[in-house]
mmCIF file with all atom_site columns, all heavy atoms in Angstrom:
data_model
loop_
_atom_site.group_PDB
_atom_site.id
_atom_site.type_symbol
_atom_site.label_atom_id
_atom_site.label_alt_id
_atom_site.label_comp_id
_atom_site.label_asym_id
_atom_site.label_entity_id
_atom_site.label_seq_id
_atom_site.pdbx_PDB_ins_code
_atom_site.Cartn_x
_atom_site.Cartn_y
_atom_site.Cartn_z
_atom_site.occupancy
_atom_site.B_iso_or_equiv
_atom_site.pdbx_formal_charge
_atom_site.auth_seq_id
_atom_site.auth_comp_id
_atom_site.auth_asym_id
_atom_site.auth_atom_id
_atom_site.pdbx_PDB_model_num
ATOM 1  N N   . LEU A 1 75  ? 30.208 19.274 34.486 1.00 97.00 ? 114 LEU A N   1
ATOM 2  C CA  . LEU A 1 75  ? 30.943 20.034 35.618 1.00 97.00 ? 114 LEU A CA  1
ATOM 3  C C   . LEU A 1 75  ? 30.024 20.084 36.870 1.00 97.00 ? 114 LEU A C   1
ATOM 4  O O   . LEU A 1 75  ? 30.520 19.884 38.029 1.00 97.00 ? 114 LEU A O   1
ATOM 5  C CB  . LEU A 1 75  ? 31.310 21.429 35.148 1.00 97.00 ? 114 LEU A CB  1
ATOM 6  C CG  . LEU A 1 75  ? 32.462 21.479 34.157 1.00 97.00 ? 114 LEU A CG  1
ATOM 7  C CD1 . LEU A 1 75  ? 32.596 22.915 33.613 1.00 97.00 ? 114 LEU A CD1 1
ATOM 8  C CD2 . LEU A 1 75  ? 33.738 21.032 34.686 1.00 97.00 ? 114 LEU A CD2 1
ATOM 9  N N   . GLU A 1 94  ? 44.706 27.087 34.665 1.00 92.00 ? 133 GLU A N   1
ATOM 10 C CA  . GLU A 1 94  ? 45.667 26.057 34.144 1.00 92.00 ? 133 GLU A CA  1
ATOM 11 C C   . GLU A 1 94  ? 45.090 25.392 32.935 1.00 92.00 ? 133 GLU A C   1
ATOM 12 O O   . GLU A 1 94  ? 45.171 24.146 32.810 1.00 92.00 ? 133 GLU A O   1
ATOM 13 C CB  . GLU A 1 94  ? 46.045 25.061 35.249 1.00 92.00 ? 133 GLU A CB  1
ATOM 14 C CG  . GLU A 1 94  ? 46.576 25.660 36.511 1.00 92.00 ? 133 GLU A CG  1
ATOM 15 C CD  . GLU A 1 94  ? 48.075 26.209 36.278 1.00 92.00 ? 133 GLU A CD  1
ATOM 16 O OE1 . GLU A 1 94  ? 48.594 26.155 35.210 1.00 92.00 ? 133 GLU A OE1 1
ATOM 17 O OE2 . GLU A 1 94  ? 48.605 26.697 37.338 1.00 92.00 ? 133 GLU A OE2 1
ATOM 18 N N   . GLU A 1 118 ? 39.793 32.374 30.910 1.00 96.00 ? 157 GLU A N   1
ATOM 19 C CA  . GLU A 1 118 ? 40.815 31.247 30.965 1.00 96.00 ? 157 GLU A CA  1
ATOM 20 C C   . GLU A 1 118 ? 42.093 31.846 31.458 1.00 96.00 ? 157 GLU A C   1
ATOM 21 O O   . GLU A 1 118 ? 42.351 33.067 31.307 1.00 96.00 ? 157 GLU A O   1
ATOM 22 C CB  . GLU A 1 118 ? 41.003 30.629 29.633 1.00 96.00 ? 157 GLU A CB  1
ATOM 23 C CG  . GLU A 1 118 ? 39.794 30.344 28.791 1.00 96.00 ? 157 GLU A CG  1
ATOM 24 C CD  . GLU A 1 118 ? 40.086 30.428 27.249 1.00 96.00 ? 157 GLU A CD  1
ATOM 25 O OE1 . GLU A 1 118 ? 40.919 29.525 26.841 1.00 96.00 ? 157 GLU A OE1 1
ATOM 26 O OE2 . GLU A 1 118 ? 39.621 31.249 26.610 1.00 96.00 ? 157 GLU A OE2 1
ATOM 27 N N   . ILE A 1 141 ? 44.937 38.894 27.072 1.00 95.00 ? 180 ILE A N   1
ATOM 28 C CA  . ILE A 1 141 ? 45.539 39.972 27.832 1.00 95.00 ? 180 ILE A CA  1
ATOM 29 C C   . ILE A 1 141 ? 46.718 39.311 28.603 1.00 95.00 ? 180 ILE A C   1
ATOM 30 O O   . ILE A 1 141 ? 46.572 38.218 29.200 1.00 95.00 ? 180 ILE A O   1
ATOM 31 C CB  . ILE A 1 141 ? 44.608 40.717 28.771 1.00 95.00 ? 180 ILE A CB  1
ATOM 32 C CG1 . ILE A 1 141 ? 45.371 41.832 29.474 1.00 95.00 ? 180 ILE A CG1 1
ATOM 33 C CG2 . ILE A 1 141 ? 43.999 39.742 29.758 1.00 95.00 ? 180 ILE A CG2 1
ATOM 34 C CD1 . ILE A 1 141 ? 44.416 42.743 30.242 1.00 95.00 ? 180 ILE A CD1 1
ATOM 35 N N   . LEU A 1 237 ? 69.504 22.599 27.198 1.00 97.00 ? 276 LEU A N   1
ATOM 36 C CA  . LEU A 1 237 ? 69.923 23.750 26.483 1.00 97.00 ? 276 LEU A CA  1
ATOM 37 C C   . LEU A 1 237 ? 69.171 24.988 27.015 1.00 97.00 ? 276 LEU A C   1
ATOM 38 O O   . LEU A 1 237 ? 69.790 26.039 27.099 1.00 97.00 ? 276 LEU A O   1
ATOM 39 C CB  . LEU A 1 237 ? 69.754 23.602 24.975 1.00 97.00 ? 276 LEU A CB  1
ATOM 40 C CG  . LEU A 1 237 ? 70.590 22.481 24.350 1.00 97.00 ? 276 LEU A CG  1
ATOM 41 C CD1 . LEU A 1 237 ? 70.302 22.465 22.803 1.00 97.00 ? 276 LEU A CD1 1
ATOM 42 C CD2 . LEU A 1 237 ? 72.049 22.658 24.615 1.00 97.00 ? 276 LEU A CD2 1
ATOM 43 N N   . ARG A 1 240 ? 70.654 26.067 30.209 1.00 97.00 ? 279 ARG A N   1
ATOM 44 C CA  . ARG A 1 240 ? 71.971 26.649 30.000 1.00 97.00 ? 279 ARG A CA  1
ATOM 45 C C   . ARG A 1 240 ? 71.817 28.143 29.618 1.00 97.00 ? 279 ARG A C   1
ATOM 46 O O   . ARG A 1 240 ? 72.634 28.950 30.105 1.00 97.00 ? 279 ARG A O   1
ATOM 47 C CB  . ARG A 1 240 ? 72.720 25.808 28.944 1.00 97.00 ? 279 ARG A CB  1
ATOM 48 C CG  . ARG A 1 240 ? 74.207 26.093 28.819 1.00 97.00 ? 279 ARG A CG  1
ATOM 49 C CD  . ARG A 1 240 ? 74.824 25.080 27.858 1.00 97.00 ? 279 ARG A CD  1
ATOM 50 N NE  . ARG A 1 240 ? 74.856 23.734 28.417 1.00 97.00 ? 279 ARG A NE  1
ATOM 51 C CZ  . ARG A 1 240 ? 75.189 22.671 27.635 1.00 97.00 ? 279 ARG A CZ  1
ATOM 52 N NH1 . ARG A 1 240 ? 75.491 22.850 26.340 1.00 97.00 ? 279 ARG A NH1 1
ATOM 53 N NH2 . ARG A 1 240 ? 75.167 21.453 28.193 1.00 97.00 ? 279 ARG A NH2 1
ATOM 54 N N   . GLY A 1 337 ? 75.956 47.740 35.775 1.00 94.00 ? 376 GLY A N   1
ATOM 55 C CA  . GLY A 1 337 ? 74.600 48.256 35.632 1.00 94.00 ? 376 GLY A CA  1
ATOM 56 C C   . GLY A 1 337 ? 73.552 47.314 35.035 1.00 94.00 ? 376 GLY A C   1
ATOM 57 O O   . GLY A 1 337 ? 72.615 47.746 34.436 1.00 94.00 ? 376 GLY A O   1
ATOM 58 N N   . ARG A 1 373 ? 55.009 56.679 18.873 1.00 92.00 ? 412 ARG A N   1
ATOM 59 C CA  . ARG A 1 373 ? 54.051 57.388 17.939 1.00 92.00 ? 412 ARG A CA  1
ATOM 60 C C   . ARG A 1 373 ? 54.699 57.559 16.598 1.00 92.00 ? 412 ARG A C   1
ATOM 61 O O   . ARG A 1 373 ? 54.676 58.646 15.994 1.00 92.00 ? 412 ARG A O   1
ATOM 62 C CB  . ARG A 1 373 ? 53.593 58.739 18.581 1.00 92.00 ? 412 ARG A CB  1
ATOM 63 C CG  . ARG A 1 373 ? 52.806 58.456 19.954 1.00 92.00 ? 412 ARG A CG  1
ATOM 64 C CD  . ARG A 1 373 ? 52.540 59.829 20.497 1.00 92.00 ? 412 ARG A CD  1
ATOM 65 N NE  . ARG A 1 373 ? 53.670 60.508 20.980 1.00 92.00 ? 412 ARG A NE  1
ATOM 66 C CZ  . ARG A 1 373 ? 54.313 60.316 22.124 1.00 92.00 ? 412 ARG A CZ  1
ATOM 67 N NH1 . ARG A 1 373 ? 53.889 59.376 22.894 1.00 92.00 ? 412 ARG A NH1 1
ATOM 68 N NH2 . ARG A 1 373 ? 55.394 60.923 22.462 1.00 92.00 ? 412 ARG A NH2 1
ATOM 69 N N   . SER A 1 392 ? 78.323 58.109 22.538 1.00 94.00 ? 431 SER A N   1
ATOM 70 C CA  . SER A 1 392 ? 77.604 57.448 21.530 1.00 94.00 ? 431 SER A CA  1
ATOM 71 C C   . SER A 1 392 ? 76.290 58.200 21.237 1.00 94.00 ? 431 SER A C   1
ATOM 72 O O   . SER A 1 392 ? 75.843 58.336 20.059 1.00 94.00 ? 431 SER A O   1
ATOM 73 C CB  . SER A 1 392 ? 77.257 56.020 21.941 1.00 94.00 ? 431 SER A CB  1
ATOM 74 O OG  . SER A 1 392 ? 78.481 55.279 21.964 1.00 94.00 ? 431 SER A OG  1
#
Side-chain angles (χ1 to χ4, degrees):
L114 289 172
E133 304 287 2
E157 315 155 64
I180 183 171
L276 298 182
R279 196 173 289 171
R412 297 176 294 278
S431 293

